[in-house]
Amino acid sequence: MTAEPIARPLTFLKGGIHYRAGEHDAARRSPFEIAKNDFNEVLSSKNLTFLLGSGCSSHAPNRNDEHGIPTMAPLAQGILAETNRSVAARYGLTDVVRNQLADDLGIDLNDEDYAWNLERLMEVLFGFQFALAKTSNSALSDAKVSLDIAIEAIKRYVFDACKSGQDGPSAETVVSFYQIFYRKLSQRSRSLPRPTIATTNYDLFNEIAMDRAGVPYINGFLGSVEKRFNPASFRYTIAQRLDLTSQRWTSLDNLVYFLKLHGSLNWHSVEKGLFPVAERPLSESGDGKAMLIYPTPAKQNASFAAPYSDMFREFQTKVVQEQSALVTLGYGFGDEHVNNIIYQALTIPTFRLVIFAKPEFGTETSNEHVRKLQDLNDPRIWVIGTEDSNSTWKAHYFNQFVADIMPSGDNDPAEKAIGNVMDLFASFQKGGNDGDN
């Protein structure tokens, strides 16, 4: 008795050509087969960059269960929902602070506009903070104290939510998706330039996955005892000697250039030295003072400061090269600075943009940016995703993309071999066998 084939309701929008779920082309290929075949060509682009957003670090096997780092709505509810008042108070967002914000400034934290969107709330809080910075009004000065407390409380909460989501037992599921992603990416032809991975996420899922998979990467930090940020490192490579009898070298096949556009949980400002940003172990990052661009509209201005400006400059350099392809995953186009770089790249005839997101049809639009890019009917802009929100399989979800759309699927012999070796080591450790008996 054969198993039922897995339903993969994928829609592929390739400029003005639409391959909708349930339809077939003249060769009787499904949209899933067409998209998978065409995406293989994208991986062979001369200059390849992936942009990974917050959706990649969150995995929700069902509506009531989320692994990894919470996305924007659950993140906001974690501190603003009525049922989480005790959590808010623990960070300093007490009822006294809430009431003063509401009475003196008219900021109601129970407002539906804020309850599901921390970025919208932080926009209002930072706006008032700027306006009250020089006030001499005593009543407003008292309100400013509560305003500062609220901002710091939310910053600390965001840091802790990302850290705990990364350290939790369910995070291993998310790490496994990233590991498979990097193992498959490492099979890209060695004759092509090494790929670039850019992310707006703060977490260390990428770094953990690359370390476990044995993937070397250049992230802008150099050093051993003190790893300091040095943008010159993006001009470097890691090479291996091909022939011991001659000076022939080549870059490692699986080398990756890695850019964290919004900072990282383990970045810290340091006073001494030429390069004032250092990487620290997470065990030394419990103060919540990591260098992060928090989810506020002011993040575009923050990105002009070092080291973010260097990261954005490198990202722009990568995507505006000739014959470049940018693949976005889990990215909702909520960062204008990133969007501007993408729009500038679209002025280059050889640039290709592949967006993994829910295709936008009908009168209701869940993402205005995707809708506008989709409506351009530009053959260089591809949108790949699942229209049905109730589908159990979604093409634009990171885990489904890694498992089913990236080449070398579940039957990849290298993947199985690595898994078998890891299982063997685990069985030795569990049984206490040191190999001498």
Side-chain angles (χ1 to χ4, degrees):
M1 188 173 179
T2 58
E4 286 290 323
I6 299 173
R8 297 187 175 99
L10 179 147
T11 293
F12 180 18
L13 310 180
K14 192 176 182 180
I17 304 174
H18 294 183
Y19 301 100
R20 304 286 293 273
E23 301 175 355
H24 293 80
D25 67 356
R28 300 299 300 164
R29 296 183 305 166
S30 68
F32 171 78
E33 294 170 320
I34 298 170
K36 185 168 184 176
N37 180 73
D38 288 5
F39 186 74
N40 283 344
E41 297 180 15
V42 173
L43 291 180
S44 299
S45 300
K46 181 179 179 181
N47 298 296
L48 177 64
T49 301
F50 282 85
L51 175 60
L52 308 181
S54 60
C56 294
S57 292
S58 173
H59 171 57
N62 56 65
R63 293 182 182 274
N64 301 317
D65 187 17
E66 186 172 26
H67 298 174
I69 314 297
T71 49
M72 182 59 75
L75 188 67
Q77 283 288 288
I79 193 170
L80 297 180
E82 283 294 323
T83 54
N84 289 324
R85 284 285 186 117
S86 60
V87 175
R90 193 164 66 244
Y91 286 95
L93 199 58
T94 62
D95 289 344
V96 173
V97 172
R98 284 172 171 265
N99 293 337
Q100 187 155 33
L101 291 177
D103 296 340
D104 295 347
L105 301 178
I107 304 174
D108 183 3
L109 299 188
N110 295 322
D111 193 303
E112 280 295 311
D113 284 344
Y114 312 140
W116 301 94
N117 194 324
L118 276 184
E119 182 166 338
R120 197 164 295 165
L121 172 60
M122 294 291 269
E123 175 182 11
V124 174
L125 295 180
F126 272 93
F128 271 99
Q129 188 182 54
F130 178 79
L132 299 178
K134 301 295 184 180
T135 185
S136 58
N137 186 302
S138 59
L140 290 179
S141 295
D142 291 341
K144 184 179 180 299
V145 173
S146 292
L147 186 70
D148 293 340
I149 291 173
I151 290 174
E152 289 306 312
I154 294 174
K155 281 185 175 182
R156 181 61 182 264
Y157 163 73
V158 170
F159 176 90
D160 285 351
C162 292
K163 189 173 183 298
S164 61
Q166 175 185 282
D167 295 341
S170 63
E172 286 298 318
T173 303
V174 180
V175 172
S176 68
F177 299 148
Y178 277 104
Q179 283 184 259
I180 298 170
F181 169 75
Y182 282 108
R183 285 174 184 159
K184 291 186 174 182
L185 184 62
S186 67
Q187 297 175 23
R188 179 173 144 92
S189 172
R190 68 171 60 187
S191 64
L192 296 169
R194 297 300 89 209
T196 297
I197 307 297
T199 181
T200 55
N201 300 338
Y202 311 136
D203 60 71
L204 304 180
F205 282 138
N206 283 279
E207 293 94 319
I208 293 170
M210 284 189 280
D211 285 347
R212 291 185 183 180
V215 174
Y217 59 93
I218 293 175
N219 67 348
F221 286 82
L222 295 174
S224 178
V225 177
E226 287 190 355
K227 297 192 70 175
R228 299 292 188 99
F229 179 73
N230 183 348
S233 63
F234 289 121
R235 307 277 77 82
Y236 302 165
T237 189
I238 301 176
Q240 60 182 339
R241 195 169 184 174
L242 293 178
D243 188 346
L244 295 177
T245 62
S246 63
Q247 295 297 322
R248 294 178 60 218
W249 302 80
T250 184
S251 292
L252 295 179
D253 295 343
N254 56 348
L255 177 66
V256 167
Y257 289 91
F258 183 56
L259 309 174
K260 301 195 84 166
L261 302 178
H262 285 175
S264 179
L265 294 177
N266 64 340
W267 288 9
H268 289 265
S269 176
V270 290
E271 295 181 358
K272 297 180 180 179
L274 181 61
F275 304 105
V277 182
E279 277 190 344
R280 293 180 184 172
L282 270 184
S283 59
E284 300 177 16
S285 303
D287 56 5
K289 295 181 180 179
M291 295 184 66
L292 309 177
I293 297 181
Y294 286 93
T296 76
K299 62 188 178 185
Q300 182 168 353
N301 293 332
S303 64
F304 292 127
Y308 313 112
S309 57
D310 299 292
M311 292 288 180
F312 275 95
R313 188 182 304 112
E314 189 64 24
F315 175 61
Q316 183 175 32
T317 299
K318 296 292 185 181
V319 300
V320 300
Q321 296 179 94
E322 288 291 321
Q323 301 179 46
S324 291
L326 175 64
V327 181
T328 69
L329 287 155
Y331 178 65
F333 289 83
D335 188 314
E336 287 196 20
H337 197 174
V338 175
N339 295 347
N340 289 340
I341 293 174
I342 295 174
Y343 300 151
Q344 291 168 17
L346 283 169
T347 64
I348 301 172
T350 58
F351 176 72
R352 183 183 300 171
L353 174 62
V354 182
I355 303 168
F356 280 86
K358 182 178 181 293
E360 298 292 345
F361 290 102
T363 56
E364 294 186 4
T365 299
S366 58
N367 191 310
E368 194 64 38
H369 291 280
V370 174
R371 182 62 175 260
K372 289 180 178 179
L373 288 168
Q374 178 181 309
D375 289 346
L376 290 175
N377 288 328
D378 187 328
R380 299 172 303 152
I381 301 174
W382 300 1
V383 178
I384 302 173
T386 299
E387 296 178 50
D388 184 5
S389 300
N390 297 318
S391 174
T392 56
W393 186 93
K394 294 184 176 67
H396 53 283
Y397 278 23
F398 186 56
N399 61 315
Q400 311 291 5
F401 163 79
V402 167
D404 299 323
I405 297 178
M406 283 195 84
S408 299
D410 296 334
N411 295 322
D412 177 20
E415 188 72 31
K416 283 192 172 183
I418 292 171
N420 291 338
V421 170
M422 296 304 293
D423 290 343
L424 181 62
F425 284 155
S427 67
F428 284 154
Q429 292 174 347
K430 186 176 181 180
N433 187 345
D434 60 6
D436 293 333
N437 297 326

